[in-house]
Amino acid sequence: MELLELPSRAVLVQRGPSVGYVGPSLANVRLRRGAKAQGYILLHRASHGAWQTFRMSARLVDTARRAAARVARKTRRKVILGELVEVDGSTQVIRSIASFETMSKAELLARATKAAGSVARLVKAKDSDPYDPREFDALVDALARDLNREAVPAFKKTVEKAITSSRIDWASATPRQVHGFSTRLAKKLDASAAAVYRSVGPGLAKTAVGMATSARSSFVKKHNLRVDRAIELKDKAAVTRAAATNAHYIRNFASGQMSESLSSQARDIIQTGINKGESSRVIGKELHRRLSDAAEAQTEAYFRMVASTVQTRAREYSSLRSMQDAGIQVYEWSSVLDEATTEICRWLDGKQFSVDASLERYAAADALEDPTDIKHTMPWFYEKKIQGGSHGGKTGIFMQQAGGLQRVAVVEKSGRGQRDEIGKYSNAKSVKGLQGNGFSPPPAHGGCRSTAIPVLGATLARPATPKPKPAARPKPAAPKPATPNHGIGQFDPSKTKYDNGKLAQALKAEDQAEVREQMAALLHEEGVVPYDHAWNRPEKLMYNSDLKRAGARGVHTWRGQIGLDARAHREAGQFMANAEIGHGDAQRYLNGFNSLVHEAVHGASPMKSSAYRGVGVFAEETSTEAAARHIVLNRFGPKLGFRMEMVKYAGAYSRYITNTVMTMRRVQTGVLDAIGITSRPAAIRKLEESLGRASIQMRAGYVAEANATKTGEKWLEVFSDALSDELTATVATENNLTAAQTKKLSKKMRASMHKEMLSTAKETLK
């Protein structure tokens, strides 16, 4: 929706607390010349049709205008902003300044056309076609200009400041001084790149989403596909994260590639100046001029490549998702064959690849812990001369892999410089081999102009995965003692398996028994508690879909009964209905389903009601909510394309979760420093995963003692031990610790965690 601001000439006369009438400009009202505003009033028509007035706190007209615009956007109603002017002692007039209203682009264009009349002719601009090479280049150039507008001045200023602030006599500079200058320059460029990343990141993401939206509409129309032209929410999220991943390379470029190039040029300039016998001032000026020019040229070239990569990946992701929705399984690599086309794209032209396998590369890139590892997950191709061997001296096409570059083809006859010419290639890797090595859709290299086009009615065999070796047969275990039957339909994991569709239908039909069985199966499969302990209660997760309890979305009892209020139950049902078909709208109803899982975990808790006091409340609620979020994320995050970050997700007990994660980080850092292991603070996302796993494991492996769950302090201790053991295992694996070192670490981690968690719990409950 667009916001339209129009000048308004209506005068609203106010007598007492209500608006008297809305009349024409200054009708029947005489204002004193130079009458000043005593304040600002906001007016809008309520749903019942009457005008309502609100006195604004703003003292400046610009502030009042911004506030009125925000209200208009939020309410999507016409809003009038007026000045309050006193006519005499008993009458006040609201003299209107402007009116604000929201409308679609089409409505805005129609209103503007009507207002222009014969004075001006408005022409609606044609939407750019992202699949037309010229129009796509224009879109890339526009984004590159926006990026360079931010980056070039920042990097040039950094280089100039590094030169002017270094107190070096360039005419007699030693290699050590030049090396020190290069080191300081790299650090300053890295800091500047971080600021540039923060500045351009949101714009990159917004542009990528716009490209994906436009590409989806154009692709569906161009190929006459019978699918929705609108892009889904999960696809917008995937494109946004892909753009952010590409933006992470900005710091690598500044502190690596550009820093090394500028340092090399600086050494040459200084050495040349010394050989010529030039003064320090002359050498400094030459450094200033040439390094600034080099920084500008490199920055412009790099961000042109960033713009091209972000736009191409967004466009091709949208193309592949459109094909997948239309049931198309195969796409063909289509290259622009002109004089500038690389050997890489000439070789790939016409090859056919799997749509699903290529989309999996986007999912794998999205799941990366380190965004810069995308170079291995969605590898690029490179051309370089082959050294030695039977093909020595020829040009080879290489594919980036985790272990380095891998040759995938040899150029026997080049087609470079010729239009519509492909060339000849030998020792080429097959399509199956390329996809097995993580081949991804366009772009294949920086500035790649290739596209993916659908192949109707074709199928392509997926790369075979190696068969796992048969595991050794385990020895038969001793039979377990019979489980007592309490006569209320015991849950049997061998008979009931969790099924999204069944749970969605049960929630819709309010089938209490089926909801209970499906939730029991879900918790069992997620390992919340073992079977022997979880479901031997008489009532076992008895479910109530219409909880009558003021102020509560959900409730549980210590005998296994759980319930939701009508709204939460409805949201849980809508979540499951959308999740079953993989629809992004499911995220709108996430709170309701999360409440259901939360109460189910509560109902299966081994904790005694006597422990639900004081710090026991903190331990139970934090671990329950963390376990619920972990289950929801693992089950539905990959399918729906979202990440429910525990610290940022504004659900129940957010403060409990955040305080616990920060405590885990503080304890881990402090213990590692104490035992001499140097490491940077753990990533929040890793700590969230550890919290989720620990919250599930504590309900199974830490309740052997009879008193473990009887008091709040004991239950908090169980929670602390689970967190400590999870962090210890992670640190031991990452640092290859011996058994003795791990034991020492575990002891210190537990002691520190007990103390810190007790303090955190008391502070949070205040």
Side-chain angles (χ1 to χ4, degrees):
M1 298 297 288
E2 301 295 320
L3 183 70
L4 180 66
E5 178 183 346
L6 295 172
S8 177
R9 297 189 176 182
V11 174
L12 311 176
V13 180
Q14 181 179 7
R15 289 186 176 88
S18 62
V19 174
Y21 68 90
V22 180
S25 175
L26 305 181
N28 304 321
V29 177
R30 298 189 65 181
L31 299 177
R32 295 195 310 273
R33 183 174 295 179
K36 294 184 178 179
Q38 297 178 334
Y40 297 97
I41 302 293
L42 203 63
L43 301 102
H44 71 81
R45 235 182 247 283
S47 56
H48 48 71
W51 283 91
Q52 292 187 337
T53 62
F54 299 92
R55 182 73 177 259
M56 303 179 72
S57 60
R59 298 295 180 188
L60 300 175
V61 65
D62 289 341
T63 307
R65 281 180 181 273
R66 287 195 295 269
R70 284 197 299 270
V71 173
R73 283 195 185 95
K74 188 173 181 180
T75 61
R76 296 205 174 179
R77 294 176 182 168
K78 182 177 179 179
V79 171
I80 296 177
L81 175 65
E83 297 176 318
L84 187 62
V85 182
E86 187 175 299
V87 178
D88 52 45
S90 60
T91 305
Q92 287 181 322
V93 174
I94 300 174
R95 180 171 53 190
S96 180
I97 302 173
S99 66
F100 301 83
E101 52 188 308
T102 56
M103 55 185 64
S104 66
K105 288 184 179 179
E107 292 172 328
L108 183 62
L109 182 64
R111 176 77 67 89
T113 305
K114 184 178 179 181
S118 59
V119 178
R121 184 171 62 91
L122 295 178
V123 180
K124 185 178 180 182
K126 176 179 173 286
D127 290 335
S128 298
D129 180 7
Y131 296 96
D132 181 275
R134 289 188 177 182
E135 294 187 20
F136 181 75
D137 282 346
L139 293 172
V140 171
D141 289 339
L143 177 58
R145 283 194 298 271
D146 291 340
L147 296 177
N148 282 311
R149 196 177 294 116
E150 296 284 342
V152 169
F155 288 139
K156 285 185 68 175
K157 186 177 180 181
T158 300
V159 171
E160 293 166 2
K161 190 174 180 180
I163 296 171
T164 55
S165 63
S166 59
R167 299 177 180 178
I168 299 175
D169 182 2
W170 301 113
S172 59
T174 63
R176 184 174 180 179
Q177 287 177 319
V178 175
H179 177 73
F181 167 73
S182 301
T183 303
R184 290 191 296 273
L185 177 61
K187 289 182 179 179
K188 290 179 182 294
L189 285 172
D190 183 65
S192 181
V196 170
Y197 168 72
R198 289 192 297 271
S199 177
V200 305
L204 269 179
K206 184 177 179 180
T207 305
V209 171
M211 169 57 71
T213 304
S214 174
R216 170 87 178 196
S217 178
S218 297
F219 191 86
V220 171
K221 182 179 179 181
K222 182 178 181 180
H223 297 284
N224 197 24
L225 303 181
R226 294 185 177 182
V227 296
D228 192 353
R229 291 189 186 183
I231 188 172
E232 294 184 10
L233 183 63
K234 66 177 181 180
D235 295 331
K236 288 184 179 180
V239 168
T240 300
R241 291 192 292 268
T245 300
N246 283 279
H248 273 88
Y249 271 99
I250 294 174
R251 295 185 68 173
N252 288 15
F253 157 73
S255 60
Q257 178 184 333
M258 184 164 68
S259 173
E260 291 173 5
S261 173
L262 296 181
S263 297
S264 176
Q265 290 185 51
R267 286 192 293 270
D268 292 342
I269 294 168
I270 294 169
Q271 190 60 50
T272 302
I274 292 174
N275 293 340
K276 289 182 178 180
E278 294 175 341
S279 66
S280 178
R281 183 173 180 176
V282 172
I283 296 174
K285 282 186 175 181
E286 188 68 6
L287 276 173
H288 193 285
R289 181 182 65 82
R290 288 178 57 182
L291 292 192
S292 294
D293 291 346
E296 180 176 358
Q298 290 184 36
T299 302
E300 288 179 348
Y302 174 76
F303 279 98
R304 177 64 169 74
M305 186 268 291
V306 169
S308 174
T309 303
V310 169
Q311 298 274 52
T312 303
R313 281 196 170 140
R315 182 189 66 186
E316 297 310 309
Y317 175 82
S318 195
S319 302
L320 293 173
R321 281 287 293 115
S322 301
M323 293 185 218
Q324 188 182 56
D325 289 346
I328 299 171
Q329 300 180 26
V330 179
Y331 71 91
E332 181 179 305
W333 187 288
S334 176
S335 301
V336 178
L337 296 177
D338 58 16
E339 293 81 1
T341 306
T342 62
E343 296 291 356
I344 297 167
C345 289
R346 293 178 192 273
W347 173 62
L348 289 172
D349 184 60
K351 287 182 168 51
Q352 295 184 357
F353 301 94
S354 166
V355 171
D356 289 341
S358 295
L359 281 172
E360 286 176 4
R361 306 316 303 162
Y362 283 93
D366 191 31
L368 291 174
E369 292 288 341
D370 183 357
T372 58
D373 284 342
I374 194 173
K375 60 180 177 288
H376 306 312
T377 307
M378 301 184 76
W380 274 8
F381 293 82
Y382 300 89
E383 296 177 19
K384 58 180 294 189
K385 291 292 183 181
I386 301 172
Q387 303 294 327
S390 58
H391 299 291
K394 296 180 180 179
T395 300
I397 299 175
F398 294 81
M399 186 179 186
Q400 179 74 53
Q401 296 288 285
L405 294 178
Q406 181 182 21
R407 195 178 73 198
V408 293
V410 177
V411 181
E412 296 291 350
K413 180 184 176 182
S414 174
R416 187 185 287 274
Q418 303 176 58
R419 184 175 291 273
D420 299 326
E421 185 68 30
I422 293 180
K424 293 184 179 179
Y425 308 91
S426 65
N427 295 82
K429 190 176 279 289
S430 66
V431 168
K432 185 177 178 180
L434 287 173
Q435 291 199 314
N437 282 4
F439 175 84
S440 61
H445 55 82
C448 181
R449 297 171 294 162
S450 301
T451 58
I453 58 176
V455 180
L456 302 178
T459 58
L460 196 67
R462 297 286 298 276
T465 53
K467 294 182 179 180
K469 295 181 179 179
R473 275 191 172 183
K475 295 180 180 179
K480 292 185 178 180
T483 302
N485 191 335
H486 297 285
I488 314 226
Q490 291 289 80
F491 166 71
D492 186 350
S494 64
K495 296 180 181 179
T496 304
K497 302 296 181 183
Y498 174 71
D499 185 281
N500 283 343
K502 288 184 178 180
L503 179 56
Q505 292 173 6
L507 287 167
K508 183 177 180 181
E510 297 193 12
D511 184 345
Q512 315 283 5
E514 185 62 28
V515 172
R516 178 201 66 191
E517 290 298 309
Q518 288 301 318
M519 291 308 298
L522 173 62
L523 297 192
H524 176 76
E525 290 179 14
E526 290 293 332
V528 174
V529 277
Y531 165 66
D532 288 335
H533 182 80
W535 315 115
N536 291 341
R537 295 181 180 146
E539 291 83 0
K540 306 176 325 307
L541 292 179
M542 295 301 290
Y543 178 67
N544 177 10
S545 64
D546 190 15
L547 175 68
K548 304 296 184 184
R549 181 172 174 180
R553 285 173 61 87
V555 71
H556 76 284
T557 71
W558 300 107
R559 302 185 68 189
Q561 294 175 319
I562 64 172
L564 297 180
D565 67 2
R567 179 180 176 183
H569 172 85
R570 187 169 59 254
E571 287 181 357
Q574 289 169 323
F575 176 88
M576 287 305 307
N578 284 281
E580 175 62 12
I581 60 174
H583 200 285
D585 275 355
Q587 295 181 59
R588 294 170 54 190
Y589 310 109
L590 186 60
N591 278 339
F593 185 73
N594 195 72
S595 296
L596 175 59
V597 180
H598 177 103
E599 299 304 336
V601 175
H602 255 323
S605 175
M607 181 186 188
K608 303 293 187 294
S609 59
S610 58
Y612 197 73
R613 303 284 188 277
V615 295
V617 174
F618 174 85
E620 174 66 8
E621 296 295 353
T622 305
S623 61
T624 298
E625 181 64 13
R629 295 184 187 186
H630 189 77
I631 291 170
V632 173
L633 175 62
N634 286 348
R635 280 279 171 172
F636 301 100
K639 184 175 182 180
L640 299 178
F642 73 90
R643 289 177 180 167
M644 187 170 69
E645 299 178 35
M646 293 190 186
V647 169
K648 295 182 181 179
Y649 172 59
Y653 301 104
S654 295
R655 193 160 59 93
Y656 288 31
I657 294 281
T658 302
N659 291 354
T660 301
V661 170
M662 294 299 108
T663 301
M664 292 168 65
R665 194 180 200 185
R666 188 167 62 250
V667 169
Q668 180 175 338
T669 304
V671 170
L672 293 184
D673 289 345
I675 64 174
I677 297 179
T678 304
S679 66
R680 60 182 181 181
I684 295 297
R685 187 178 171 191
K686 283 189 175 182
L687 292 174
E688 289 175 344
E689 291 174 357
S690 297
L691 172 59
R693 289 193 297 267
S695 298
I696 290 175
Q697 292 166 3
M698 68 177 282
R699 297 162 187 278
Y702 294 85
V703 293
E705 296 180 17
N707 295 324
T709 61
K710 285 187 177 180
T711 67
E713 289 75 12
K714 283 287 185 181
W715 193 228
L716 180 64
E717 199 171 301
V718 168
F719 187 31
S720 300
D721 287 345
L723 296 175
S724 302
D725 293 351
E726 184 65 36
L727 293 180
T728 300
T730 302
V731 172
T733 303
E734 290 176 351
N735 294 276
N736 297 319
L737 300 185
T738 63
Q741 290 173 322
T742 303
K743 186 176 180 180
K744 179 182 177 182
L745 174 65
S746 176
K747 185 177 180 181
K748 285 185 174 291
M749 193 78 80
R750 281 196 171 198
S752 179
M753 189 67 77
H754 286 173
K755 181 180 177 181
E756 291 293 332
M757 283 298 291
L758 183 60
S759 175
T760 298
K762 290 179 178 178
E763 186 65 29
T764 305
L765 292 171
K766 283 183 180 179

